[in-house]
Amino acid sequence: MGSAQDGIAGERRQLLNIAYRLLGSLAESEDAVQEAYARWYALPGGRRDEIVSPGAWLTTVTGRICLDVLGSARARRERYVGAWLPEPLPDRPQRENGQESLADQIVLDESVAMAFLVVLESMTPAERVAFVLHDVFRYPFAEIADVLGRTPAACKQLAASARRRVGAPPAPGTATAQADTIRRLKKAWEDKDVAALVAVLDPAAVMTADGGGLVGTVLRPVEGGALIAQYMLAIADKAPGLELLERSVNGVPGLVARRDGVVMTVASFDVADGRVTRIWAVRNPEKLGPWGL
């Protein structure tokens, strides 16, 4: 066992965090990291000993695997029923047989907020890799060049192009203010108060739902606060026994809809000036695994 082996397992958490931001899926992220480790252990022992920084090697390989996955994901997303949203992350430690779960290992910061991940989805695979590795994880362009197989200058251009897609971040409201707005939305829904719902929704609000074709939901975004309010009240009428719980979703205040103890929907929000401007509702049961523990 050479020095290159030292601490190799300790890289897993960092790699998982990179992969989730690149792919928006815990299962795909775990597969990418496992594949990177498999390639590491498949190297001849002498080759492994020559690698000065195993962490950098694993990051490069994980980045290349994610780049391939993103490329093939584009075709899969075109076949996906309705809108595709990233997999939402719970806030509380989720234990599996006393062990940390995958979701528990993701650092919850602004780079995993649903609004941010949705913008990342609009980037080309190369833009996304360059931007996430440089702007989020502070990797130098010389290292990113190895991942993308391009020059450092080209990688710098890709990151700049991605940055323009992100645009200027909205003025951040406090978590307390966001939670208060979502609490008002929750109460209006529970009271079936259409006027209160319309008041808490921005007139130009947009709601996007992801059912993956596995559960019933709207296939196209619902636009306009009044229409969203009508849709939410229709759900209240159709689903007696549905309860809303205030939960952190990807590190920011959100709501979870549960029925008979089963999580049916995880909703994330953008809030501005005390009103909800965006709703992302994940209903695809395959994306709600971490919420069922």
Side-chain angles (χ1 to χ4, degrees), residues 16-175:
L16 192 63
N17 271 276
I18 291 170
Y20 174 75
R21 286 159 177 81
L22 289 176
L23 302 176
S25 159
L26 279 174
E28 288 184 349
S29 299
E30 184 182 33
D31 288 346
V33 173
Q34 296 279 48
E35 173 64 19
Y37 272 97
R39 292 185 191 181
W40 168 262
Y41 288 115
L43 291 172
R47 175 74 184 96
R48 282 204 299 268
D49 289 340
E50 290 169 5
I51 294 170
V52 178
S53 172
W57 189 94
L58 281 166
T59 300
T60 299
V61 172
T62 301
R64 287 175 182 163
I65 293 166
C66 289
L67 187 65
D68 289 343
V69 172
L70 285 170
S72 63
R74 298 217 131 189
R76 290 205 310 279
R77 303 275 160 84
E78 285 168 12
R79 297 193 299 271
Y80 196 82
V81 179
W84 187 97
L85 291 174
E87 193 175 317
L89 298 172
D91 61 335
R92 290 195 313 253
Q94 307 286 315
R95 304 292 174 191
E96 294 171 349
N97 303 320
Q99 301 292 314
E100 273 189 325
S101 72
L102 278 180
D104 199 27
Q105 296 179 51
I106 304 297
V107 176
L108 298 176
D109 60 22
E110 60 274 10
S111 68
V112 295
M114 191 63 73
F116 190 77
L117 291 175
V118 168
V119 173
L120 293 182
E121 279 294 310
S122 71
M123 299 176 183
T124 68
E127 282 176 341
R128 188 166 181 169
V129 170
F131 178 79
V132 167
L133 288 180
H134 182 266
D135 285 44
V136 178
F137 290 96
R138 302 299 173 200
Y139 283 94
F141 287 118
E143 289 184 26
I144 297 168
D146 285 342
V147 177
L148 294 177
R150 306 190 189 199
T151 65
C155 294
K156 190 173 182 179
Q157 282 187 320
L158 283 167
S161 169
R163 217 170 287 127
R164 286 193 292 274
R165 291 185 194 250
V166 174
T174 66

Side-chain angles (χ1 to χ4, degrees), residues 267-290:
S268 184
F269 303 87
D270 248 10
V271 172
D273 301 323
R275 285 181 139 183
V276 172
T277 56
R278 288 296 311 245
I279 303 174
W280 293 281
V282 179
R283 300 204 64 228
N284 183 343
E286 292 181 348
K287 296 184 178 184
L288 299 180

Side-chain angles (χ1 to χ4, degrees), residues 197-206 224-226 228 272-278:
L197 266 179
V198 170
V200 79
L201 289 162
D202 187 279
V206 178
I228 294 170
D273 301 323
R275 285 181 139 183
V276 172
T277 56
R278 288 296 311 245

